[in-house]
Amino acid sequence: MGRRVSASGSLVGPLRKLPTSAPATTPVVAVTPGGTAMAAWTESRDGSWYAVARRLNLDGTVGAAITLGSGSAEKPAIGADRGGRFVVAWARGSDVVARRITSTSVSSTKVLTSPIAAYGGFGTVHLGVDRDGDAVITYHSGGGARAQVWASRWSRTGTPAALCGSRPPPTTWASTTPSRPTSTATR
């Protein structure tokens, strides 16, 4: 279910149930500066979890469902830039993947975790998108000697980019306690 809320906090329009083709979970939403929204979620079909998105137009209409990925999609994250383009990222088995959605196209799936696949078990995906469409995607891994938090920068041109200086993506920051992270970065 979803409903628009104005800048002043007033409810706008009716409560809408977004059509899904199967049981759905973990919904997220992003809104462009122009007011167009995109919702994303995972839904179960024939025993597999799929990442799905739908555009929510200003006039109240709902766009067609966009199946972003299949297999073992988990907990998507979404962000939007000022031009109305969206980035959706999610955990898929032992990878974190992302796609870009414009008003006319959906990019191919970008695997963000290839260089660190040995750490596996990725999840808890979050992302932020700047006004030009560059995205930073963070995720957690349970593999290796201890749990890690990773971040990948994905430029608006589709190129993975380093977060710190010239280090190759992704970069990891180790922390000794949740409230006091160290600044140790590893390749």
Side-chain angles (χ1 to χ4, degrees):
M1 299 277 221
R3 192 167 194 180
R4 290 191 176 272
V5 179
S6 72
S8 66
S10 301
L11 297 175
V12 179
L15 181 64
R16 298 284 314 246
K17 179 179 178 187
L18 297 178
T20 62
S21 62
T25 186
T26 62
V28 292
V29 66
V31 182
T32 67
T36 298
M38 177 82 61
W41 60 89
T42 53
E43 60 183 49
S44 177
R45 300 181 201 156
D46 302 319
S48 293
W49 286 94
Y50 291 76
V52 180
R54 266 188 199 270
R55 187 175 304 275
L56 311 169
N57 300 305
L58 272 174
D59 64 4
T61 59
V62 177
I66 304 166
T67 299
L68 300 171
S70 63
S72 59
E74 294 180 39
K75 300 176 183 155
I78 190 167
D81 68 19
R82 68 179 170 183
R85 296 169 296 262
F86 296 91
V87 175
V88 181
W90 65 97
R92 181 186 70 191
S94 61
D95 291 317
V96 173
V97 296
R99 294 182 86 171
R100 292 180 184 276
I101 303 171
T102 70
S103 61
T104 60
S105 67
V106 179
S107 74
S108 60
T109 302
K110 180 69 176 174
V111 177
L112 303 170
T113 49
S114 295
I116 55 168
Y119 285 89
F122 298 104
T124 316
V125 178
H126 295 280
L127 70 84
V129 179
D130 72 13
R131 65 187 193 154
D132 295 324
D134 296 327
V136 174
I137 298 117
T138 64
Y139 35 95
H140 172 267
S141 73
R146 65 172 196 238
Q148 301 282 326
V149 174
W150 303 86
S152 296
R153 183 178 293 273
W154 190 26
S155 77
R156 65 187 163 275
T157 61
T159 307
L163 279 177
C164 294
S166 62
R167 290 187 162 95
T171 303
T172 179
W173 290 272
S175 64
T176 54
T177 65
S179 61
R180 299 192 61 203
T182 64
S183 60
T184 305
T186 60
R187 288 183 188 215

